[in-house]
Amino acid sequence: MSVELDVFVGNTTIMDEEVYQLWLDGYTVNDAVKVRMEGGVMDECEASKDVLLSDTMDQYRTFQMCERLLHSPAKLANQLLFQIPPHRQIMLIERYYAFDDTFVREVLGKKLSKGTKKDLDDISAKTSVTLKSCRRQFDNFKRVFKVVEELKGPLVENIRQHFLLSDKLARDYAAIVFFANNRFETGKRKLQYLSFQDFAFCAGQLISNWTVGAVDNMVEDMDVDLDKEFLQELKELKILITDKDLLDQHKSLVCTALRGKTKVFIEMEGSFKNLSRGLINIAAKLTNTKDVRDFFIDLVEKFIEPCRSDRWSAADMKLYLTHYTNSAHILDTFKHQVVWDRYMGVVKSCIFKMYHD
Amino acid sequence: MPGKLKAKIVAGRHLPVMDRASDLTDAFVEVKFGNTTFKTDVCPKSLNPQWNSEWFKFEVDDEDLQDEPLQITVLDHDTYSANDAIGKVYIDIDPLLYSEAASVISGWFPIYDTIHGIRGEINVIVKVELFNDLNRFRQSSCGVKFFCTTCIPQCYRATLVHGFVEELVVNEDPEYQWIDRIRTPRASNEARQRLISLMSGELQRKIGLKVLEMGGNAVVGYLQCFDLEGESGLVVRAIGTACTLDKLSSGSAPNTNTHMHPNTAPASNACNSPSKDGKESPLAHGCRSTHNSPVHSVCSSQRLSQNFSVSVPTLIFTGMGSGGSAGKEAGPLRTLLRQQTQTALEQREFPFFTLTSFPPGFLLHVGGVVSARSVKLLDRIHNPALGNTRSYKLLDWNSVTADEPETRDAWWEEIRQEIKSHARALGCHAVVGYSESTSICEEVCILSASGTAAILNPRYMREGCLDIGCTDHRFEEPSPPNCGFCHIPYDELNMPFPAQLTYCYHCRRQKVPDVLFTTIDLPSEAAVAGKGCLIQARLCRLKKKAQGEANATAISNLLPFMEYELHTQLMNKLKLRSMNALFGLHIQISVGENMLLGLASATGVYLTALPAPGGIQIAGKTPGDLSSEHISSIQKRINDTIAVNKELYQINPPELAEEGVGSPIPEPRHRSRLFRSHSESSDELSELDLSHGKKDAFVLEIDDTDAVEDIHSLLIDAPPPTGFYSCNTENMPGISNWTSGVQMFTSVRVLRLSNANLTNQGLNKIFTDLCENLLKSFYFKLRSMIPCCLCHLNFTVAVPEEELIQVTVTAVAMTYDKEQTQEKTAEKPVNKGSLEAEEQLQFPLELCADSSSSNIQTASKISGVGESTNMSPRAASVDYGSFADRCSTWLELLRLKAHTIRRGSVKTISSLERCSPLQEGRSRSLRSSRSFGGSSVTVVKMTPLSFLPGTRIIKYLGIINMFFIRETTSLREEGGVSGFLHSFIAEVFAMVRAHVAALGGNAVVSYSMKECVFMENPNKNQAQCLINVSGDAVICISETDQESSASTANTGQTGGSETDGAT
């Protein structure tokens, strides 16, 4: 005796958020039933294991049928097959496009290609996110990437409108797309301590200040590609380290301002020239795609690590960078104030975000 | 040319990719009606084509308009090879043919293909221009309205109920045509869909003609069924109740349930002419033939000789009986009345009504359930002439299949005659809640019909008399409406079988049976105690495989035993729940190759007019049995279960309640005491009976292990978990304060019996578990809706193959307000008291009428009380209940009432209750959800009930009757059988919703899935399913919308009366 067929279809599609999450997390039906049993849902309605199994199967089938629609969320609103209340639709989409920070950290900045997809089982093993879930997340990244690639206008707004995502999630996706497009290196050991949210913040900064879109908002790929002209102009900043007078002048201005305000003043004074060279060199090299990729590793190696070894606190760091940026304005012979601000504004906030353990 | 049909193809969207190379589609559309076809231009390389075509015009007879659907085929243009069909849309244009229904069909329709399911959508506009045709001999019946609803539809008033209409049409099943061998299954299935669409159109037209002949303008309770007889053909048959309906002007009625509160018209227009003979009345028109024999033998054994058939002796379920007390008070009047009705009804061949609920006063007495079954052998005669029919146009049965419909007609005629004679044996002249069904396995077919024998008020049979409410009813009929229908309809001394009669516990004037079984809904005015619950009896019987006549004989030998056992089970389960009446009883017997399945479902209820049910006694076969200890332990379990159930369903003995009232009016008290003495004596009587009567249904003898098993299985039925109730009727006895949560669902489960040598007992257990587990699954799935009630639980069983059992369930879960229910229960004694005291009668009544926020004046002086006590489907009692907060006693309530009358308005208080935060919150959330997302899809609610809680229907747009076939040759890829059926059912819902939305509607009421035939062949990776659904498309609007505006208008006053209430 066996149940050959068992379906339950509601006029309004019934979806349990807990089961949806289990499905998204890639649990098999049997595993999901186990989790639900442990969760105590059985007590709620005097249910038995069979009831739970049947319910889980029904829901899994429903989700599988919905999945096609979730790939282009706009369709979910005007499809006729499932009658789903609007707030439920939003929940479905939001959860479907949600991702695990540990997983995204692994693929951030990698090319969203078949090659990467083949490595997903390694990533799955490493992050203990199920392979199924990894695939869904990876395909989501790829799908969003493909769609916004061809669109004009602001990246975040495009993602939000096309995939009906919340602002927060749209921003995260923008970061993922931005990283994938510019192939920023994030996997090096030295960068391991940084979370996805750290990078997402930096991406947001880069997108809103360094891309083409920051100056002109009707260009294709405006938010994905860095502003080439700007990168070219960054070379001009080299004068701050090549001109000895300027370098000394800058140092003395900064030191005057810092004196007595921090415990690590001596260290700051000692390493000023090194640090300044580090930051300016990063700026000057950004015309090379290769160096763009290494932007974050360079920031860590050239700036964050030296400071950390000198035991600067986060407050010290803030103080130092503020004065470092502002003092440049007082230098008479330094003419590239606009570029300097555009560069340092982003670098400063990135470093603030990245300066932690 | 009496009609012009116009269609315009606007656009498509979400089309499938038909050209792999470009990932696009070159789509165009063919629009076909009758033999005329138009085409749109090809819209190249688009998945969202914009055709924006001209208006395609078809000039056609209205006969064709009724029969034919508009066929829309979407194709992919291919320059080099044949164009590929993407899919089709069939649009039934019938709704455009009534003047009051939809005027245009416009919207997105899913494009459906039998293999691929839904493939995108197409936007179509359809209009009809009808020219008046006064041709007397016309074949069309445009303008006759059809309703699936089995009560008088909201926003209509029945001026006349004409009676039974039936028709059937027969055709070759395309699936079994010779051409099937050379065409694809897909073509065959499409032919089948098209044919059935045509046949149901024709059937509806023919029924419409009969209605026009009778002088009616509508069919209510329209029930259409298919019999897939296999090689012998395809039968489409329908029954319904012809009525003359008047539309209530929309301005006058925020009153949703007019038929329950009819306006009191001057009593003078009552049926003041008892002399008016039924023969003069227009109902005589309804007779199909002149055949009008006054006497029918109970068991007509003479059968058609050409077909093998077996008559099954039918049990008549009920406690039933006599109007022994008829002569007591209003004897002569009543007799006269009855005679009159009798003659009126005898004019018709079949005084049957497919309705299950009636305007108050319509139903006078209920006798009990009558049913008849007959086993038939489908003839294999295959007319060779038919083989040539390649076109799917309907065959002309006057020539080729001449005897086919006649044979089927004759079969049903037999059955109906039998039903009629059963009803007569119960002293009744009519059958209400009537339905017919079949079960087919190979060449054996069981025809079943069942209904409830009843005596009806003749007023509704005559023209122009329907305006009256129940006021005058009292003078003719001494029995109050909340118990009158329980009174036995016939002679006490001449009962067809033994039943225990007692005086009615309500009015103490007339006799009632100890239990009452019916197929109808609980009358709205009936007095009940506590809540109702779903009661099911389930039974499996193995039978030997056999062929032909031997098989039919075997089946017909088994049937009476099955009926008897189902009846016993029902009775025992009823007692176990401490209830005394069953409503909505539906017994299905399904035949398979090696077994018969029986499933009886009904809603149990405690009618306060009927005596309290005795317990169940367990008795050993021999007194000195060793197992006496065992017996007493079982007895204890049973007694415990009864006690638990009493509490669960809140059944408080009504005697207690009566005494608790302390009626303030001396005269009634006097009277009630008088009656109590009656009741005491009758109680003694029944006790006596109990001790003597080993023959009673509720004394169970344990004589062997089987009996023990049976008792165990009785106790297996788990009560629904806390927060859930269930019933299979329109109304849930004891719950009326619905909130807006509605979830209609369909569930299908198929069980494979792998164990080859199963016993009857084992099978019973499996079948019972299957049903119980289904219920448990529903409770679990719908737990978020608690407190909630599963209404109209409709179980259908089938044996699709040897060793397979299929159960299909359609039902609706509705949320209700728990707190108010409890208040209401607390208040019950107060209401009951008021029944006794006629002078008090008006108080609660006016409260009730006023609070229903409508313009109904205190119309239903008599029936209103009953409604407020129990069954009014909606808000009325909600408000009433809320008074209980402030008025803890009956007297205080009276004082308040007197007070408020002096001050002015009660109305405002009730409207204050109505705009309570809860309601506001709900409407707010509704509004916000509407603005959310900006979806272009109309939300279409579906329910098997005739109403949607919290809304009122302002327009009926026409009947929805759709038939789909889905097939697959890649079963595994589609997720196996479950995946396949899951998506098919979802698709069917989607198509129903789309059609309703295109008609301009936002809901389907009286929805039912009448057929769900599933066949699979896993070895070939194939499956096929056939689904038929129907319902009424309606526009309904939220009641709260109106109320909130009304209540804001009243706010000023409200404050004042509120303080009054507090003093």
Side-chain angles (χ1 to χ4, degrees), chain A residues 1-14 16 18 36 41-42 44-48 50-52 54-56 58-59 61-62 65 75 77-83 86-87 89-90, chain B residues 13-14 110 121 721 724 743-752 754 766 777-783 929 932 935-937 940-942 977-979 981-983 985-987 989-990 993 1014 1016:
Chain A
M1 192 194 70
S2 59
V3 175
E4 179 99 356
L5 182 160
D6 178 16
V7 296
F8 177 101
V9 190
N11 181 37
T12 305
T13 309
I14 292 185
D16 184 313
E18 186 201 347
R36 295 183 79 187
V41 74
M42 295 232 289
E44 265 182 52
C45 241
E46 300 159 32
S48 66
D50 290 342
V51 167
L52 219 53
S54 144
D55 178 59
T56 313
D58 265 323
Q59 305 233 19
R61 265 198 309 272
T62 311
M65 284 190 260
K75 270 191 192 165
N78 61 13
Q79 52 85 32
L80 303 177
L81 190 56
F82 299 104
Q83 187 157 277
H87 68 275
Q89 291 183 14
I90 300 216
Chain B
R13 68 181 182 196
H14 307 156
E121 291 125 34
F724 274 109
Q743 171 67 278
M744 190 282 292
F745 61 87
T746 290
S747 181
V748 183
R749 211 171 264 198
V750 176
L751 207 65
R752 183 174 288 280
S754 46
I766 289 169
S777 268
F778 301 157
Y779 296 138
F780 180 74
K781 274 180 190 294
L782 300 162
R783 64 193 184 285
S929 70
F932 218 115
S935 144
S936 59
V937 182
V940 176
K941 291 194 172 185
M942 289 163 79
V977 283
S978 296
L981 194 61
H982 193 140
S983 53
I985 294 175
E987 281 167 350
F989 286 178
R993 286 193 302 256
F1014 179 76
E1016 57 167 334

Side-chain angles (χ1 to χ4, degrees), chain B residues 523-839:
Chain B
S524 53
E525 62 271 19
V528 298
K531 307 261 196 311
C533 82
L534 179 78
I535 294 180
Q536 282 192 323
R538 303 133 181 159
L539 190 66
C540 277
R541 277 288 167 269
L542 289 165
K543 85 174 177 58
K544 288 215 174 69
K545 271 191 227 172
Q547 294 294 314
E549 296 192 12
N551 194 18
T553 316
I555 291 168
S556 54
N557 287 341
L558 272 173
L559 284 181
F561 293 99
M562 293 193 65
E563 298 238 25
Y564 177 78
E565 273 196 50
L566 286 170
H567 182 230
T568 313
Q569 261 191 51
L570 281 176
M571 194 64 114
N572 288 332
K573 289 187 177 178
L574 189 68
K575 301 266 180 214
L576 206 56
R577 284 170 181 76
S578 193
M579 295 175 182
N580 56 18
L582 285 180
F583 287 88
L585 176 64
H586 180 78
I587 302 181
Q588 197 198 355
I589 292 191
S590 198
V591 57
E593 265 180 77
N594 59 345
M595 66 172 123
L596 287 170
L597 286 183
L599 180 66
S601 309
T603 301
V605 67
Y606 187 110
L607 287 177
T608 50
L610 265 49
I616 297 179
Q617 277 194 325
I618 304 291
K621 185 73 176 169
T622 47
D625 213 325
L626 280 174
S627 58
S628 63
E629 230 171 80
H630 181 59
I631 287 173
S632 64
S633 81
I634 295 177
Q635 179 72 63
K636 188 171 177 305
R637 271 181 69 196
I638 286 181
N639 293 346
D640 290 350
T641 314
I642 292 179
V644 167
N645 280 332
K646 262 192 181 174
E647 198 157 312
L648 184 65
Y649 301 111
Q650 296 161 10
I651 296 169
N652 309 317
E655 280 86 1
L656 270 180
E658 223 165 285
E659 275 155 6
V661 169
S663 172
I665 307 300
E667 196 261 334
R669 185 192 289 151
H670 177 71
R671 209 161 69 187
S672 78
R673 188 175 295 149
L674 195 82
F675 288 133
R676 190 157 299 127
S677 68
H678 267 285
S679 86
E680 272 158 21
S681 68
S682 63
D683 280 348
E684 275 167 21
L685 208 98
S686 70
E687 255 166 53
L688 255 164
D689 272 355
L690 220 149
S691 53
H692 282 300
K694 292 282 187 223
K695 60 186 180 298
D696 288 330
F698 44 91
V699 177
L700 300 177
E701 281 188 2
I702 298 188
D703 45 3
D704 57 12
T705 41
D706 279 7
V708 178
E709 284 290 321
D710 285 346
I711 289 168
H712 277 300
S713 68
L714 259 187
L715 294 163
I716 275 177
D717 284 9
T722 332
F724 274 109
Y725 288 98
S726 57
C727 67
N728 75 333
T729 46
E730 284 266 315
N731 296 312
M732 172 66 192
I735 298 179
S736 56
N737 41 346
W738 304 111
T739 50
S740 58
V742 173
Q743 171 67 278
M744 190 282 292
F745 61 87
T746 290
S747 181
V748 183
R749 211 171 264 198
V750 176
L751 207 65
R752 183 174 288 280
L753 310 165
S754 46
N755 196 346
N757 33 352
L758 273 168
T759 57
N760 277 335
Q761 294 287 344
L763 263 178
N764 275 344
K765 173 97 172 60
I766 289 169
F767 184 38
T768 304
D769 286 350
L770 175 60
C771 296
E772 283 290 312
N773 288 338
L774 266 170
L775 284 170
K776 280 183 196 156
S777 268
F778 301 157
Y779 296 138
F780 180 74
K781 274 180 190 294
L782 300 162
R783 64 193 184 285
S784 64
M785 294 179 78
I786 286 177
C788 122
C789 176
L790 300 186
C791 293
H792 213 285
L793 270 164
N794 182 17
F795 278 66
T796 316
V797 291
V799 192
E801 275 172 51
E802 207 180 323
E803 304 199 327
L804 287 188
I805 298 179
Q806 176 187 327
V807 180
T808 311
V809 187
T810 299
V812 64
M814 301 206 290
T815 54
Y816 64 92
D817 196 336
K818 198 172 188 180
E819 282 177 21
Q820 282 173 327
T821 313
Q822 281 164 350
E823 279 171 19
K824 201 164 65 106
T825 327
E827 183 132 3
K828 196 147 271 168
V830 178
N831 284 336
K832 269 195 55 75
S834 70
L835 292 175
E836 297 277 313
E838 286 184 31
E839 275 161 63

Side-chain angles (χ1 to χ4, degrees), chain B residues 1036-1052:
Chain B
C1036 58
I1037 55 166
S1038 164
E1039 271 176 349
T1040 44
D1041 279 1
Q1042 295 178 321
E1043 280 157 22
S1044 55
S1045 60
S1047 62
T1048 41
N1050 279 344
T1051 337

